[in-house]
Amino acid sequence: MEKLKIAFIVNAFPKISETFILNQIIGLRQEGHQVDIYAFDNPRESKIHDKIIEMNIGKHVFYPVPKKLFNRLILASLSFIKNVYKFELNISTLNFRKYGHDAKSLRLFLMYTSLVNKKYDVIHCHFGNNGKIMSDLKNVGLNIPFTTTFHGYDLSKYIQKNGNNIYASLFQNGDCFLPISEYWRSKLLRCGCDPNRIKVLHMGVNLDDFIYSEREPANTIKILTIGRLVEKKGHEYAIKAVAQLVQNNQNVLYQIAGDGPLKKELEQLIIDLNVEQYVTLLGSVDDSKLETLYRESHIFLLPSVAAANGDMEGIPVVLMEAQAVGLPVVSTYHSGIPELVKDGLSGFLVPERDIDAITEKLEFLVSHPEIWKEMGKNGRNIVEEDFNQSKLTRQLENIFLELANRSDLHKPY
């Protein structure tokens, strides 16, 4: 198979909560493709995924737009001199009236000069805001085929903030749009995207990293949540539901792995509900600890909600991981989650923010361990069929190859 030179444009890298991006990169690299990552931010988190170090991915990560204005100006000056022969194109990236903040901040100029001489076969943008930047780059002459993956916030919070027409140029210039669920495909259509350029492509997990095991009854039932401590993850409702659960079931331990801005608020909620002995906030965990948590838990809980600012989930990768290892799941009818978690088959779904419904489903699972095995097996089968990174990598490869070889998509070299 033809080997491609691919650029990913992402908001931040490496980011512990965005395993879906890393999974794609790993899958493509394992197939022999060159993948470079262009990120606007380095979160410098205390923990990173082991695979980033093992596969030496760091040397393929670039940060073309410095955070500090002075550094940006110096880099832009050097880049301008180096690319002076493309004077007209360079100047067009500074059209403040047309491109607004991306021009004023030099983001468009620096992205253009970073990409223009690299001879990529295809550029893959994660999140609609980065697809929009690539659309503007195409307007100024960077005629490289590009795809845009839409995840969740870019079709919810981002549109609520910037208006329904924010993607008009992207829909015109983009070559292929890859919503991660049928739910978001429908939203793209409502926004005016050409249906012939939309292909649903789920995010997935590497099944070799998540060993399936059947869950056995235990003296202490361990319930697990993994997710950033932000509103859309629904931690508040999970904690309140567990507080009700333990009134009748004292043999429960609820662990939440993840960090975020709501940490203090959730710590106080745990104290106010007097459930400190049942509910533990673990903070951010590394891959080895994550593996242990999955292996030792019995039920997975993630009651996602639409946040007040409009932010919504895609299909949380942790739900794929939980089902892959054989955990029955309790989640919500939110975004694309019902495309993964099948109510009554691999777990239970409840309405958003319905604490009593969450409690009821947890209580049923705690009281009926005999159904864990069947639910766990069903969940694993769903992931193997529809959220298997190996299969999804081949689908993405085919999309990239088709675009790279289309004669009507002219390149500037």
Side-chain angles (χ1 to χ4, degrees):
M1 181 179 285
E2 177 186 356
K3 301 308 177 186
L4 300 176
K5 186 176 180 181
I6 305 162
F8 273 48
I9 300 179
V10 303
N11 293 329
F13 193 90
K15 193 171 182 180
I16 195 74
S17 63
E18 293 185 351
T19 54
F20 45 85
I21 294 176
L22 181 60
N23 289 342
Q24 280 191 344
I25 293 167
I26 291 171
L28 290 166
R29 289 192 63 188
Q30 287 174 337
E31 293 300 317
H33 303 290
Q34 177 181 328
V35 182
D36 293 336
I37 303 105
Y38 291 81
F40 292 108
D41 183 39
N42 182 352
R44 303 188 187 280
E45 296 175 319
S46 59
K47 295 179 175 64
I48 62 171
H49 291 289
D50 297 340
K51 288 287 182 69
I52 292 174
I53 298 172
E54 291 172 14
M55 301 185 70
N56 201 17
I57 290 173
K59 74 174 185 177
H60 295 279
V61 182
F62 305 96
Y63 302 97
V65 185
K67 284 290 185 183
K68 293 183 178 179
L69 178 58
F70 177 77
N71 294 339
R72 222 177 303 154
L73 289 170
I74 294 296
L75 182 58
S77 299
L78 294 173
S79 298
F80 188 85
I81 294 169
K82 184 178 179 180
N83 295 279
V84 69
Y85 65 96
K86 293 181 179 291
F87 179 79
E88 290 186 8
L89 295 179
N90 286 337
I91 291 298
S92 63
T93 65
L94 303 176
N95 187 332
F96 303 160
R97 178 175 293 183
K98 186 172 184 179
Y99 300 119
H101 177 73
D102 286 334
K104 292 179 182 178
S105 66
L106 299 175
R107 176 181 285 202
L108 205 59
F109 172 80
L110 291 170
M111 284 299 296
Y112 176 80
T113 55
S114 296
L115 295 168
V116 68
N117 296 318
K118 296 294 183 64
K119 297 187 178 182
Y120 289 110
D121 295 296
V122 65
I123 294 178
H124 183 46
C125 304
H126 271 281
F127 300 101
N129 58 302
N130 292 320
K132 183 177 176 295
I133 289 172
M134 186 57 207
S135 174
D136 291 341
L137 291 172
K138 190 170 183 177
N139 279 337
V140 301
L142 193 69
N143 293 319
I144 300 173
F146 77 98
T147 59
T148 304
T149 290
F150 289 89
H151 290 275
Y153 100 87
D154 45 3
L155 286 172
S156 54
K157 176 184 176 181
Y158 189 76
I159 288 180
Q160 182 172 303
K161 180 180 178 180
N162 295 285
N164 291 328
N165 296 322
I166 190 65
Y167 294 132
S169 174
L170 173 57
F171 291 160
Q172 180 178 351
N173 290 331
D175 299 302
C176 186
F177 305 101
L178 304 172
I180 57 88
S181 67
E182 292 291 342
Y183 182 93
W184 292 123
R185 178 183 181 274
S186 298
K187 182 61 179 286
L188 279 175
L189 290 173
R190 293 197 300 273
C191 290
C193 187
D194 180 357
N196 295 318
R197 284 186 280 170
I198 301 175
K199 296 180 181 179
V200 173
L201 185 72
H202 292 139
M203 296 293 100
V205 294
N206 183 347
L207 289 170
D208 292 336
D209 293 337
F210 298 94
I211 307 304
Y212 170 80
S213 63
E214 294 183 345
R215 307 293 146 160
E216 300 289 346
N219 292 331
T220 299
I221 308 303
K222 293 184 178 180
I223 302 170
L224 176 64
T225 290
I226 298 169
R228 290 192 67 234
L229 306 184
V230 294
E231 185 184 355
K232 70 178 177 180
K233 299 298 181 182
H235 297 301
E236 170 191 347
Y237 309 101
I239 292 169
K240 289 178 178 178
V242 170
Q244 293 185 164
L245 175 69
V246 298
Q247 293 177 11
N248 298 318
N249 295 275
Q250 304 297 314
N251 60 333
V252 169
L253 175 63
Y254 179 38
Q255 299 179 96
I256 302 173
D259 206 347
L262 295 183
K263 181 178 180 180
K264 289 185 178 180
E265 182 178 320
L266 295 175
E267 286 176 337
Q268 187 60 50
L269 177 63
I270 292 167
I271 293 170
D272 292 344
L273 294 173
N274 195 28
V275 289
E276 298 99 312
Q277 69 182 99
Y278 302 105
V279 182
T280 304
L281 299 181
L282 300 175
S284 183
V285 299
D286 59 23
D287 290 344
S288 60
K289 177 63 175 178
L290 188 64
E291 182 182 349
T292 301
L293 288 170
Y294 277 135
R295 184 176 65 251
E296 295 180 351
S297 297
H298 304 94
I299 300 165
F300 194 86
L301 173 61
L302 190 72
S304 300
V305 301
N309 63 5
D311 195 11
M312 293 179 66
E313 300 271 25
I315 301 178
V317 172
V318 292
L319 289 176
M320 303 173 200
E321 295 173 353
Q323 289 196 173
V325 300
L327 286 170
V329 169
V330 176
S331 191
T332 49
Y333 289 104
H334 171 86
S335 186
I337 289 175
E339 297 172 41
L340 168 66
V341 181
K342 305 300 182 181
D343 185 46
L345 190 66
S346 63
F348 295 111
L349 295 175
V350 301
E352 293 183 26
R353 296 180 169 84
D354 193 332
I355 297 167
D356 290 340
I358 298 170
T359 305
E360 179 187 341
K361 297 305 182 184
L362 288 176
E363 196 153 31
F364 184 85
L365 284 171
V366 168
S367 303
H368 294 84
E370 69 276 7
I371 69 171
W372 294 352
K373 292 181 182 179
E374 183 179 359
M375 282 192 162
K377 184 177 181 181
N378 290 338
R380 175 72 180 198
N381 290 339
I382 291 169
V383 176
E384 287 181 348
E385 185 63 30
D386 296 324
F387 299 88
N388 182 337
Q389 188 58 57
S390 179
K391 291 183 178 180
L392 295 167
T393 296
R394 289 193 292 272
Q395 292 178 34
L396 189 59
E397 269 187 306
N398 290 333
I399 292 168
F400 287 168
L401 286 165
E402 180 183 346
L403 291 177
N405 291 301
R406 270 177 55 180
S407 59
D408 59 320
L409 299 178
H410 301 292
K411 300 178 183 180
Y413 36 82

